[in-house]
Amino acid sequence: MKLAVVGGGSTYTPELIDGFARLRDTLPIEELVLVDPAADRLDLVGGLARRIFARQGHPGRIVTTSDVDAGVADADAVLLQLRVGGQAARNQDETWPLECGCIGQETTGAGGLAKALRTVPVVLDIAERVRRANPDAWIIDFTNPVGIVTRALLQAGHKAVGLCNVAIGFQRKFARLLDVTPGEIHLDHVGLNHLTWELGVRLGGPEGENVLPRLIAEHGDAIADDLHMPRQIVDRLGVVPSYYLRYFYAHDEVVRELGTKPSRAAEVAAMEKELLAMYGDPALDEKPALLAKRGGAFYSEAAVDLAASLLGGAGSPHQVVNTYNKGTLPFLPDDAVIEVQARVDGTGATPLAVPELDPLYAGLIANVTAYEDLALEAALRGGRDRVFKALLAHPLIGQFEYAEALTDKLIAHNREHLAWA
């Protein structure tokens, strides 16, 4: 089995490598190719990756290359984890929206749109190269904004599934609180990427006992603290929103907070510098503890599980992924991309049935889906007017004056990445 990771020079990659090494019985990789245009980073990450494999006795071969075509040739699956523009572009996404009093965040609001505009054309170019090299290869997208990027891939006819680590993080957290194994936890996880709610937490599978009310009653303070939301919100909703919902439920508070501290991108850039220095130590043969602060917790477990199922291996039958709606949420078009539990096998992902959604959640999902429609149109076709309409449609913006100003700022800060600008 051959896997390729595009964006393999990311500081995330050792987390992924560690998962591949530990879970080699689930996903028996013979060759792993790390693809990245940044040769200096790729050398450091590739060296550590080989040492991790060697320490854990993994027999697989690790290859590094800056050539996408060579890297994806004959690959059974290609994982996408790229960041167009790097942390510098992310820092802009997180700062210039604040000048208009709007959220500055890399996947939500105006910053998220900027990332989509930079990313979609690049991902589609890579996907076409994958298709030419091996039309049967699966594409697993971990590149944000996952929902929009995955929809672009699916609409272009690629064999693609989107993946996020929010659900597996909740699964692991709830398992610890309940003192059970993660495999015993099945989430009623519903929504869009970075706009989801846990409507139920079931023991043993989709038909198992729903223990969410007990979790909230006994551990509501801990859950709310992790979300950075008041306990009252969790109690009144009776469900657990993802922490990204804080941008919607406490928008003005978050804007004030973001204006008083360095951006997350600045923090990550400093962390990456330290991590890369560590990766260059020839004695290091395991992922460093600092990597846990970088983000992406449990990414490797989720990626291994998904790849194993898609490639006919020993992955879990049900996983939370991003895929076509296909009537699952009746108020959305079939070709909307949603994030829900799905049955995953060699044919792809088929969403499981979900309960009827309260209008409180369905309304916001429908609104953000409309924004994503317009965002994808802007990413595919360009143009100031399309960018403006997407921003005006976003529920965190929605005012003519803000949308106008944000459109100008977005284009000014991203001109080098926008072929039409």
Side-chain angles (χ1 to χ4, degrees):
M1 180 185 298
K2 176 180 176 179
L3 264 64
V5 180
V6 179
S10 168
T11 53
Y12 270 135
T13 299
E15 165 71 25
L16 187 62
I17 299 299
D18 178 72
F20 286 158
R22 289 185 292 102
L23 303 170
R24 56 185 174 273
D25 291 340
T26 302
L27 189 68
I29 299 171
E30 297 167 286
E31 182 177 356
L32 177 64
V33 184
L34 305 180
V35 184
D36 203 292
D40 52 344
R41 294 170 64 107
L42 191 58
D43 287 343
L44 295 173
V45 173
L48 175 56
R50 294 185 186 98
R51 295 192 297 272
I52 291 173
F53 263 31
R55 173 175 177 153
Q56 299 198 31
H58 195 297
R61 173 173 173 250
I62 295 179
V63 178
T64 59
T65 181
S66 60
D67 187 330
V68 173
D69 293 317
V72 303
D74 300 320
D76 297 290
V78 177
L79 279 68
L80 303 180
Q81 57 172 31
L82 55 132
R83 182 183 294 279
V84 179
Q87 293 298 331
R90 176 181 179 177
N91 186 65
Q92 292 181 354
D93 294 343
E94 294 177 344
T95 51
W96 56 262
L98 295 174
E99 297 170 11
C100 296
C102 294
I103 288 288
Q105 212 278 329
E106 64 162 338
T107 64
T108 300
L113 176 60
K115 193 172 195 305
L117 297 181
R118 295 193 304 268
T119 303
V120 166
V122 174
V123 166
L124 289 178
D125 175 68
I126 293 169
E128 285 300 328
R129 294 167 183 264
V130 173
R131 180 151 54 191
R132 288 196 299 267
N134 181 8
D136 292 326
W138 280 102
I139 295 176
I140 297 174
D141 177 56
F142 198 70
T143 296
N144 282 320
V146 169
I148 295 173
V149 173
T150 301
R151 186 169 180 179
L153 288 165
L154 290 172
Q155 286 188 176
H158 298 290
K159 293 177 60 178
V161 181
L163 182 64
C164 180
N165 70 325
V166 167
I168 194 172
F170 275 129
Q171 181 198 43
R172 299 305 200 263
K173 184 180 303 178
F174 295 153
R176 288 195 303 272
L177 293 175
L178 294 167
D179 195 24
V180 299
T181 64
E184 295 176 77
I185 297 292
H186 178 94
L187 302 175
D188 290 341
H189 178 103
V190 180
L192 310 177
N193 181 240
H194 290 183
L195 193 85
T196 53
W197 296 262
E198 309 307 326
L199 303 183
V201 178
R202 301 185 181 278
L203 291 179
E207 305 303 323
E209 176 192 3
N210 180 16
V211 297
L212 181 58
R214 173 157 63 95
L215 266 171
I216 293 175
E218 297 178 1
H219 303 284
D221 287 341
I223 293 170
D225 286 347
D226 284 344
L227 299 173
H228 300 289
M229 295 184 194
R231 167 73 184 266
Q232 180 187 22
I233 294 293
V234 178
D235 285 338
R236 291 184 69 178
L237 294 178
V239 304
V240 178
S242 84
Y243 44 83
Y244 287 93
L245 265 299
R246 186 168 185 256
Y247 299 125
F248 295 82
Y249 293 163
H251 175 274
D252 293 352
E253 178 184 350
V254 174
V255 168
R256 288 193 294 270
E257 288 178 3
L258 294 175
T260 63
K261 61 182 182 180
S263 69
R264 173 61 178 165
E267 295 175 355
V268 170
M271 201 178 304
E272 285 194 333
K273 185 176 180 180
E274 188 175 352
L275 283 169
L276 288 169
M278 292 179 177
Y279 295 171
D281 180 357
L284 183 67
D285 58 3
E286 60 183 347
K287 64 177 183 180
L290 179 62
L291 188 55
K293 297 181 181 180
R294 172 66 178 81
F298 309 115
Y299 162 38
S300 60
E301 284 89 342
V304 167
D305 205 18
L306 179 54
S309 292
L310 292 173
L311 299 176
S316 305
H318 300 144
Q319 299 172 41
V320 173
V321 297
N322 286 259
T323 190
Y324 271 150
N325 179 42
K326 299 176 184 175
T328 308
L329 300 181
F331 54 89
L332 295 184
D334 285 349
D335 65 350
V337 165
I338 60 175
E339 186 172 289
V340 293
Q341 287 277 2
R343 183 176 68 254
V344 183
D345 56 27
T347 66
T350 303
L352 302 183
V354 302
E356 182 177 355
L357 289 186
D358 187 295
L360 178 62
Y361 314 124
L364 187 53
I365 290 171
N367 192 336
V368 175
T369 297
Y371 151 75
E372 290 189 348
D373 289 347
L374 295 167
L376 182 54
E377 184 74 3
L380 293 174
R381 300 178 63 191
R384 186 187 188 281
D385 193 52
R386 293 188 181 92
V387 173
F388 168 78
K389 288 179 179 178
L391 290 169
L392 188 62
H394 199 291
L396 295 182
I397 300 168
Q399 297 184 55
F400 178 86
E401 181 180 357
Y402 288 170
E404 282 280 12
L406 289 168
T407 297
D408 290 337
K409 290 179 182 295
L410 185 155
I411 294 172
H413 284 283
N414 290 275
R415 197 176 300 277
E416 66 181 293
H417 300 292
L418 305 177
W420 50 267

